[in-house]
Structure formats: C-alpha cells, structure tokens
C-alpha cells in the first residue's frame, strides 16, 4: 500500500500548487472512517481508496480528484456523511464525492437486462464533472486488479462482464488507452480463462522460439531511421491477449494466421519527422496495402494523432507501426490530460483543468464519431435523460421528458391509460420533469384515456403523436355524434322523421362522400341542421325557419324535445364551454355552432349572444344531460366587490370554503380606497352549488356586489 508521504510527494511532484494539508487530512480521514473494515483479500479496506488515489496520481490528476479518490467510499460504506465531507474539504470535493457515490449506487440497480450502451451514456450523463467518471474508472480498475479475491463466482462474473461491457469502452471513449487495455484483459481473464490461457501460452512459445523479436525489430527500426538522420525512440509490444482474441473472433482466423501480433511505436521530435520516418520505413519495407492512416492531418475526435501503417518487417512478419511526436504520444497514452499538460504547464488557478472541459466538449460535439466514439453521437449532456422502470430497465428520453413520455416509451397502451406516476417511490404530477437516474413507476387504469392537456407538456415525438392521434379520433367521434343529434333535431322540428336515405342524395351538395362526413361537418359546425333539412325538403322555405326557442331565453326551464343533450365536456373537442359566461350544469344554455370549431355553449343570458342575433341558423338548442350534473370540476366565474377592510378577504374565502367551492383563480380587476373588485374562478359541481355560495356571499357584510360573469 502506498504510504501517505509517497502519495503526497507524487502529487506535489507534478502539481506544486496542490493543497498538501488537504491531501494529508483526506488520507487520515479515510483511514479513520474505514477503520477496521477489511477487503475480501484480507487487506485493510483503507488500502483500496489509497490505491485508487495512486492510480489517479499516475494520470497527474488535480488535487481534488486525488482527495476524491481517497474519500470515494466513505459516504457509501462508513458512518461519514456528506456534511462531514463538505465541512472538512469544501463544496467542490463534496460534489465530486457525491457524484462518485451516485454512480456506485447506480451499479446496484444495474443487471444483465440493462443495455450497455445506454448505461454508459447514463454514467456519462450522471458525471456532470468528468473527474467523477475518472475516479469511478480508477475505482473499477483497482477492483478488477483485486477481483480474484472475491469469493462468489457469480459476483466475480458479474463485475467482469460489467467491466467489459461498460467501463472498458468508457475508458476508451475518454481516451485513456492503458486503463482500457487493462480493464479488458482483467475481464477477459475472468470471463474466458481458457481462451486467455491458450493465447498467453502461445505467445510465450513464440517468444521462446524466436527469442526477443520485439527487441530485435525495435533496434533495427531505430538504426534504419538513425542512418537517415531521424532520431527516434522505438518501442514495441505484443498486443494484449484480449485484443488478439477479439481479432481472431472478428476475422475468424486461427492464431497461426494472426500475423500482426506486434505493434511498434516510433516517437520522434517533430511533425515533419513523422512524415520523414514514414517515408524511410515505406522505402525500406514492403507496405501492406490498405492499412495506412493519417491521423495527424485528420485527428480522431478525442484528439488522438498519429500515423498508422503496417509493413512486412525485418523478420518478414507483419508489424503495425505508429509514428508520432512526443506530445502526440502523451495524448494517446494519457488522454487529454497530457495534451493540456503540454500546452499549458501547471497553472496556479482553478482553470488548470481546462482539458476537462475540452474533453467534455469533444464528447458533446463529436460529429462523426470514429472507433473511439463507438459510432454514437454523444448528446447526452444536454439532450437526454435516462430513467429506470421499476424492474431496472433503462429508458432513454429527451431532456425535459415527463412521466407521460416515459409511459409512452414503455408502451403505447401504458401511455394511453396512465393516470398517475411515482418517481423514486413518491407520487408525482404527470407533468414533472424527469431527472437522470429517476425510477419511474406508471399507474394505469383501464378506463383512462389520453388527455388533450398532456400535449402541452410532453416532449417526445412518440407521446405527442399518440395523444394527437387519440384526440383527433375522439374529436371525430364526438363531432359525428353531435352532428347526428343536430340533424335529427332539425328534422323533428319540421315534423319530419330523419332517415339517412332521405339525405344520401344531397351529400354532393355539401361535398360529403358519406354520411359519416356529413355528420362530422354538422358536428364541427361547417353545416347547419337547417341547411340539411331545407336541401332535403326544398318546399320548406328558409323564411319559415325559426331556431325554435333557442333564441328565446324566456322559454320554460324544461328542455324541449328538439334540444341536443350536452354530456361529457372534454375541452378542445366538439363541445366547448364559453369562457365569457362559464356555463354550469343547471344553467339555461344555448349552443352556437362556429364554423370548424364545433359547438360553444353559452348561458342564455350571456352578453356575447348579442353578436349572433343575425345568424339564427348558427343557434343550436341544447340542454344539460342528466349525466352532466354529476360531473365535478366545472368552473364558474364570479365578479365580487369587496370592501377594502381587514378580514374582508378572509370572510369571502370562508363563505366559499363552507360552500365546498374550490378557488382556482383569483384576480383583482379594480381597486379603490374603499373597494376591491375581484374576479374569482370557482370549481363547483353545478349551478345550484354556485347559487348557494352567491347567496352566502351576499349575506356577508364585507361583500358588496356579487354577480356571475355574463360575457
Ligand atoms: Mn471503491
């Protein structure tokens, strides 16, 4: 285990400005917090965070990252709290530790059912600071190095496949090549020990037979270049057993046929020398066609630059050669951290980790992802949110998505019948914006249908399309039903019996191809019932037509036999309630058919009706259906004049409350020294309830005038 002073010295070595005392405090804090806890290996648990910090220091990460490495398991596994961390190490470190803790908690939710690519994106999205991800990766690397001590076979297997599926590709994505290689190889050893065993055996056999081929080839390459005045450092290595295995699988070839199992790296001084070295090598050895790549003129999205080529090398073996400058090499080996170290030197202020931001930008904006980016456009930082179903299934949604979007993402039918949601176990409104990592449970009811109001807050295309489709079909159904009722009443008023047969012949006159279309047009108010009657029976003269009482509010309270019943009142569909007079069940009402907008219901004393006296054909006789009186949630609007005195408003709301009215909106429309004028919207069941409330208000001394809004 790394000693305290070794770690501190190493960090100070590359970052003289690091907070030495904070590092020391973190070391001691972690040691005390983990106390006597042991790892499965029998080592003190504390050795783990120290090793993680050590791994991070190899990458020359900043002081906060190292401290986070030391503290990363304290909140999850010991009695230490987030508050302790914050008060001892400040907000920044607390945020990082919190981030790592959250990622660790996500791991427990994950199982084989989750999609690896989505899960990687979730990890990225959750790591708002890339350092969180780097600490998590270092944590995983150390856990993989000590995987053999885990006793449960199943657990070892699960950790190894998770590493292979998720953490190794992530390491590659953030450009830390050696972490990726090591993570892969350690997983491979656990997941397929036989394959790895035979490959390693074969490699050592080849080494025995051929001696130090790598060393000989390196030396020859170096001499060849030196002979032409290019000073180069040449190093070679065998590929990792896993990358050999992957190649064997991908290309379906046997190990014997696998020629380029060695890779060489030529590191030179300048970019010009890269191309010079390439020319010399291509002049000397036979080039394998189709393998040359110039990542210097076109760097990979993660800033990787190098020349790649494959030649038949000195011992007539295919060898892969990468040519690059020292700086390019550091970037390739250490990720963008190195890039920054080269460019900036160590700065004193907090901006020294600009490379982190650069890395985020690259992850965010990479347009044409190559191998390093796994063909995925990484929009997750701004555009996506990832949530779990109660079974742990991961759903990817556009940012701003709500439980309704989630429900539709699970299944159209779930969306169509959803009535509520629980987010992380708590009831939440359907319009709640979901956050990364939320667990969402949708409550459904068989008789629920999509609400047109959902359209105003859903984000996903699927949800919107489903809701629209439903609303449109519902609207058509309502138009049809209403249209049929309108035309039947219109016929009855002329003492005729409505029969479809009588009307079929005149369909073309209304540009309708079917009765369905005619009903819809009637319901939508594009045609009036009277139009249809007078067309079918031209002997009925237009002048004889009378809207039959609809225009005469003085008629009896009883609905006449020609009136169209008004039942379900779904806003935005065939029937609308006037926003001028807010009709309530129990009010005397009349319908006005407006072209293309269906029927608007007004109270018979609504002042707006004055605008329609010249168009009696638009008036439709309506009455409240008995079912409407049972419905709750109708809104009536009152105009109240209230004395400007202490307690007046309390008296007003007291009366309304006793009358079981629910105030949904309250607006002061005028105010003087003595009086307020208020506009109050009340949710009531019917007009009787509202009348009781009005009577109660009128009886209160604080209240002056009380009236219902009349347009
Ligand atoms: Mn850990």
């Amino acid at each position: 285990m790394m000693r305290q002073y070794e770690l501190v010295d190493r960090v100070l070595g590359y970052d003289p400005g690091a907070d030495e005392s904070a590092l020391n405090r973190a070391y001691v804090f972690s040691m005390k917090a983990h106390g006597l806890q042991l790892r499965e290996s029998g080592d003190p648990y504390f050795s783990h965070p120290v090793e993680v910090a050590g791994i991070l220091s190899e990458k020359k990460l900043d002081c906060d990252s190292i401290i986070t490495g030391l503290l990363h398991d304290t909140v999850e596994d010991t009695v230490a709290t987030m508050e302790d961390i914050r008060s001892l190490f400040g907000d920044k470190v607390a945020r990082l530790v919190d981030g790592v803790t959250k990622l660790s908690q996500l791991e427990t939710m994950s199982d084989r059912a989750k999609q690896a690519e989505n899960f990687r994106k979730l990890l990225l999205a959750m790591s708002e600071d890339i350092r969180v991800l780097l600490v998590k990766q270092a944590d995983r690397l150390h856990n993989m190095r000590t995987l053999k001590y885990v006793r449960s076979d199943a657990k070892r297997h699960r950790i190894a496949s998770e590493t292979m599926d998720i953490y190794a590709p992530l390491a590659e994505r953030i450009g830390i090549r050696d972490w990726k290689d090591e993570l892969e190889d350690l997983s491979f050893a656990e997941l397929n020990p036989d394959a790895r065993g035979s490959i390693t055996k074969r490699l050592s056999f080849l080494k025995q037979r051929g001696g130090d081929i790598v060393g000989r080839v390196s030396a020859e390459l170096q001499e060849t270049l030196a002979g032409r005045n290019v000073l180069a450092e040449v190093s070679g290595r065998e590929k990792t057993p896993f990358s050999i295995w992957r190649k064997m699988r991908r290309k379906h070839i046997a190990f014997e046929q696998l020629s380029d199992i060695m890779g060489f790296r030529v590191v030179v001084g300048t970019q010009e020398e890269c191309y010079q070295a390439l020319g010399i090598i291509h002049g000397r050895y036979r080039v394998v066609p189709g393998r040359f790549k110039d990542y210097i003129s076109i760097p990979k999205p993660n800033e990787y630059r190098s020349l790649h080529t494959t030649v038949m090398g000195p011992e007539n073996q295919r060898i892969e050669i990468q040519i690059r400058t020292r700086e390019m090499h550091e970037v390739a080996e250490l990720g963008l951290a190195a890039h920054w170290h080269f460019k900036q030197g160590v700065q004193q202020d907090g901006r020294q980790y600009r490379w982190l931001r650069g890395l985020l930008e690259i992850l965010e904006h990479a347009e044409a992802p190559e191998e390093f980016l796994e063909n995925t456009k990484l929009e997750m930082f701004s555009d996506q949110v990832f949530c779990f179903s109660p079974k742990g299934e991961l759903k990817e949604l556009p940012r701003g998505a709500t439980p309704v979007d989630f429900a539709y993402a699970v299944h159209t039918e779930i969306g169509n019948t959803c009535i509520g949601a629980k987010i992380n176990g708590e009831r939440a409104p359907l319009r709640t914006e979901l956050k990364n990592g939320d667990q969402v449970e949708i409550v459904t009811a068989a008789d629920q249908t999509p609400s047109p109001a959902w359209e105003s807050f859903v984000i996903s295309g699927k949800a919107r399309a489903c809701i629209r489709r439903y609303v449109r079909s519902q609207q058509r159904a309502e138009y049809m039903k209403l249209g049929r009722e309108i035309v039947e009443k219109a016929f009855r008023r002329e003492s005729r019996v409505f029969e479809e047969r009588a009307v079929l012949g005149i369909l073309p006159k209304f540009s309708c191809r079917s009765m369905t279309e005619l009903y819809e047009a009637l319901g939508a108010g594009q045609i009036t019932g009277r139009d249809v009657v007078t067309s079918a029976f031209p002997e009925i003269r237009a002048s004889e037509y009378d809207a039959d009482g609809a225009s005469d509010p003085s008629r009896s309270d009883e609905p006449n036999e020609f009136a169209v019943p008004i039942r379900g009142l779904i806003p935005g569909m065939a029937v609308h309630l006037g926003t001028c007079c807010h009709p309530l069940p129990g009010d005397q009402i009349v319908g006005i058919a407006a072209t293309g907008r269906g029927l608007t219901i007004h109270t018979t004393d609504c002042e707006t009706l004055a605008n329609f006296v010249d168009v009696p054909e638009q008036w439709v006789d309506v009455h409240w259906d008995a079912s409407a009186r049972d419905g709750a949630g109708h809104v009536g609007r009152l105009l109240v004049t209230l004395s400007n005195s202490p307690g007046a408003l309390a008296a007003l709301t007291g009366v309304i409350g006793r009358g079981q009215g629910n105030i949904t909106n309250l607006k002061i429309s005028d105010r003087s020294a003595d009086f307020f004028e208020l506009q109050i919207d009340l949710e009531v069941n019917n007009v009787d309830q509202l009348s009781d409330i009005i009577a109660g208000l009128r009886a209160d001394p604080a209240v002056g005038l009380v009236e219902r809004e009349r347009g």
Side-chain angles (χ1 to χ4, degrees), residues 34 39 45 48-49 52 69 72-74 77 100 104 107 135-136 138-140 142-143:
H34 289 292
R39 302 269 288 172
Y45 193 94
H48 165 67
V52 170
H72 80 271
D73 277 332
T74 54
D77 295 343
V100 179
S104 303
E107 276 174 356
V135 175
K136 188 65 213 164
D139 174 45
R140 177 52 63 120
H142 184 250
N143 284 336

